[in-house]
Amino acid sequence: DLLQYRDLLWLLVRRDFVAQYKQTILGPLWFLLLPLLMAVVFTVVFSRLARIPTEGVPPLLFNLCGTMAWGYFAGCMGNVAATFVANAGLFSKVYFPRLIVPLSVVLSKLMAFAVQLVLFLSFFLYYKFGTEAGARIHPNAAVLLLPLLLLQSAAVALGIGFWVSALTAKYRDFAFIMPFCTQIWMFLTPVFYPSSIVPARWQILVALNPMAGIMESYRYAFFGVGTVAPGYLAISVGVAVLLLVTGLLAFNRAERTFVDTI
């Protein structure tokens, strides 16, 4: 069914990407400005005022990498979680595989991620070859695993999004609590701080956070720093697969009856 409706999938991808900042003055520039502004705020608050270490990496570059990776995940998860509520009118009138909508979100956010990756690489090249801090930045072959990191991020986002979408179809409370939980999750994930500052007794909790291993892998690939333990990565992948499979089952079950309850 997904292959049969692939034209609709690409139509929805284009719609999501183009319509997000349509009728704005800056237009697509917001894809660049928002992560940059967030990275600047993290740098001022956490790196300058709170003195949180960045393992020798320039704070702005460190935080820009974190906001880029987290932004893709959070954007996918939030939009997938609203699948049934946001598309109730469309779903009740026309038949097509409901999974097309979450997949279109993942692909449209991937396009936004590509734009932000260009911004990050511009700063990366400046710091690497234009400043003294470049001697402390050591990219390595792990950067070739970036597609796998994106795939794992998408799996976690889809898994959580599927669950919340299924629950929101019946209980609208989850639509209100979702943004709050996302913010809390961000602070519990090493987005603007390295996981090495977490006390040893809490490291197992870091390992159970599927996004923690992804964030550390990004930094290891681009900067040569970070806590990347094979055991922790295996746990992260396992949790991601579990979330995706169980979330998909919950989503498929909810789509049969959501029209009666939404």
Side-chain angles (χ1 to χ4, degrees):
D1 284 350
L2 293 177
L3 290 175
Q4 184 179 355
Y5 286 86
R6 60 185 179 276
D7 291 338
L8 176 60
L9 173 62
W10 294 117
L11 180 65
L12 292 177
V13 169
R14 182 180 180 277
R15 181 204 66 177
D16 292 342
F17 183 77
V18 173
Q20 186 170 359
Y21 294 113
K22 191 176 182 180
Q23 294 184 322
T24 61
I25 296 176
L26 298 180
L29 285 178
W30 283 113
F31 287 115
L32 301 175
L33 289 176
L34 289 179
L36 181 58
L37 290 173
M38 184 174 292
V40 169
V41 170
F42 282 171
T43 299
V44 172
V45 175
F46 298 106
S47 300
R48 302 302 183 193
L49 299 180
R51 303 290 183 180
I52 294 178
T54 56
E55 299 185 316
V57 179
L60 180 60
L61 189 61
F62 183 94
N63 291 317
L64 190 59
C65 180
T67 54
M68 175 186 67
W70 179 262
Y72 173 70
F73 162 73
C76 290
M77 182 175 65
N79 283 271
V80 172
T83 297
F84 288 137
V85 174
N87 298 278
L90 180 62
F91 287 168
S92 62
K93 295 180 176 65
V94 182
Y95 169 78
F96 58 89
R98 307 313 186 196
L99 278 175
I100 282 185
V101 174
L103 290 179
S104 71
V105 169
V106 170
L107 293 176
S108 65
K109 295 300 180 183
L110 189 60
M111 295 169 64
F113 176 87
V115 175
Q116 294 169 8
L117 180 61
V118 172
L119 173 68
F120 167 74
L121 291 177
S122 300
F123 278 86
F124 176 85
L125 293 174
Y126 167 73
Y127 279 107
K128 175 62 179 175
F129 300 106
T131 67
E132 296 180 356
R136 301 191 297 272
I137 300 175
H138 305 288
N140 53 70
V143 74
L144 298 176
L145 299 178
L146 179 59
L148 294 180
L149 296 178
L150 286 170
L151 183 62
Q152 186 178 349
S153 298
V156 178
L158 285 171
I160 298 294
F162 284 155
W163 269 111
V164 177
S165 181
L167 292 171
T168 304
K170 190 173 183 180
Y171 307 104
R172 294 298 182 88
D173 307 75
F174 287 93
F176 297 100
I177 198 173
M178 184 66 180
F180 173 75
C181 290
T182 302
Q183 290 295 318
I184 295 298
W185 193 353
M186 183 184 70
F187 284 103
L188 295 177
T189 303
V191 175
F192 52 85
Y193 61 88
S195 62
S196 58
I197 69 172
V198 178
R201 65 180 181 276
W202 300 112
Q203 284 293 331
I204 185 60
L205 296 180
V206 174
L208 291 174
N209 181 351
M211 288 305 298
I214 295 174
M215 301 301 298
E216 290 295 299
S217 296
Y218 269 95
R219 296 192 182 112
Y220 176 75
F222 285 109
F223 309 137
V225 301
T227 305
V228 183
Y232 285 2
L233 289 179
I235 294 175
S236 178
V237 171
V239 173
V241 172
L242 178 63
L243 288 172
L244 179 60
V245 172
T246 58
L248 183 59
L249 293 175
F251 184 89
N252 286 336
R253 182 177 180 180
E255 75 167 304
R256 302 190 190 104
T257 59
F258 83 96
V259 175
D260 299 327
T261 59
I262 199 135

